[in-house]
Amino acid sequence: MRKLLLLNIITIIVVTLTACSVIENPESFTTAVTSSKKNASYDAKATASLPQPVEIQIESDFGETEAFSYDIKYPVISNLQNQNTQATLNTKLKNQVYNYMNNLKSLSKSNLKAESFVPYSVTTDFEIKTSNQNILSMVATYTQNTGKANPVTALATYNIDTSSGKELSLEDLFKSDFDYKNVINKEITNQIKKDISGKVYFKEKNLRFVSISQMQQFYIEDGNLYIQFGIYEIAPYATGVPVFLIPNELIDSGLKEQYKPMLLNQVD
């Protein structure tokens, strides 16, 4: 009983001394609390300052009249670090889609008076290949149907350096002393030669592949470079859209340093 009473007295003394030490030195207690709050505030600010993942939402619009119908899609980009670049890109991409639609819509009004009247239609779509704080790479498909045997399809690729807002050409990726055309031409030719059937690509002299162009379509996906051609450009309609993967080991030495993170499987 005496031992239990003694233990309780010791416990009371320890608690009292601890409380007194806090009261006697309130500055150290306040400093500790303030420091904790500052650290929490710093962590919150640091988290907020981290670049947010780039997001692309596909917006759509559709409608139909007696002469014309449309089902269009266009991308809306958000979370770019450069908000001015973001606004410019969004406006540009949207305007291109609506201009394409409105041009055919105007033609459809005159078509309404034709004896062999066929309603016109337009569709657009975007496929996102790469989306991060380094680059946006997208493939757009513009299709119009005016009653012909096959719809008319136009393709466009968009490769945008998100830090500057510049739309990149294929040439922009490479050093000036690197003959990227020759390297890519050889690779595409080698891949075409693997078509044993001879039916996938045009073989005729005036139709077959000779060289990529100055404004060659391309896109970047999973850190790899793809060269794209339009329908009928180097192959029959049945082939669809010819696309060629260019191995990284063929081009890594010629890439400009600022664009290496976008390729060579270094894309975030």
Side-chain angles (χ1 to χ4, degrees), residues 58-60 71-75 97 100 122-128 138-143 154-156 158:
I58 303 298
E59 297 286 342
S60 61
D71 184 357
I72 57 176
K73 296 180 176 65
Y74 57 92
V97 168
Y100 179 78
V122 162
T123 61
T124 67
D125 203 1
F126 281 77
E127 183 179 0
I128 312 303
M138 303 176 284
V139 176
T141 305
Y142 298 83
T143 302
L155 299 168
Y158 298 91

Side-chain angles (χ1 to χ4, degrees), residues 46-168:
T47 301
S49 66
L50 291 174
Q52 297 298 307
V54 175
E55 295 182 359
I56 301 181
Q57 182 176 349
I58 303 298
E59 297 286 342
S60 61
D61 189 8
F62 58 90
E64 185 175 2
T65 64
E66 182 183 1
F68 181 72
S69 65
Y70 63 95
D71 184 357
I72 57 176
K73 296 180 176 65
Y74 57 92
V76 177
I77 305 163
S78 59
N79 293 339
L80 278 191
Q81 289 179 300
N82 189 321
Q83 292 294 299
N84 290 332
T85 296
Q86 177 176 295
T88 300
L89 290 175
N90 284 335
T91 300
K92 175 182 178 180
L93 292 168
K94 182 178 180 179
N95 287 345
Q96 286 181 341
V97 168
Y98 274 92
N99 288 342
Y100 179 78
M101 180 198 74
N102 288 328
N103 287 338
L104 194 66
K105 186 177 182 179
S106 298
L107 292 175
S108 70
K109 293 178 181 179
S110 60
N111 174 58
L112 186 60
K113 302 175 183 179
E115 293 183 4
S116 56
F117 164 70
V118 176
Y120 286 0
S121 65
V122 162
T123 61
T124 67
D125 203 1
F126 281 77
E127 183 179 0
I128 312 303
K129 298 296 187 179
T130 299
S131 169
N132 57 43
Q133 289 292 351
N134 293 322
I135 190 170
L136 296 179
S137 189
M138 303 176 284
V139 176
T141 305
Y142 298 83
T143 302
Q144 58 178 260
N145 195 330
T146 57
K148 297 180 180 179
N150 294 313
V152 177
T153 300
L155 299 168
T157 57
Y158 298 91
N159 299 278
I160 301 159
D161 182 337
T162 54
S163 62
S164 65
K166 178 181 180 180
E167 190 169 340
L168 300 172

Side-chain angles (χ1 to χ4, degrees), residues 178-191:
F178 183 72
D179 192 354
Y180 75 96
K181 280 190 176 182
N182 184 49
V183 171
I184 293 175
N185 286 341
K186 285 182 178 179
E187 177 58 24
I188 292 176
T189 300
N190 288 336
Q191 291 187 33

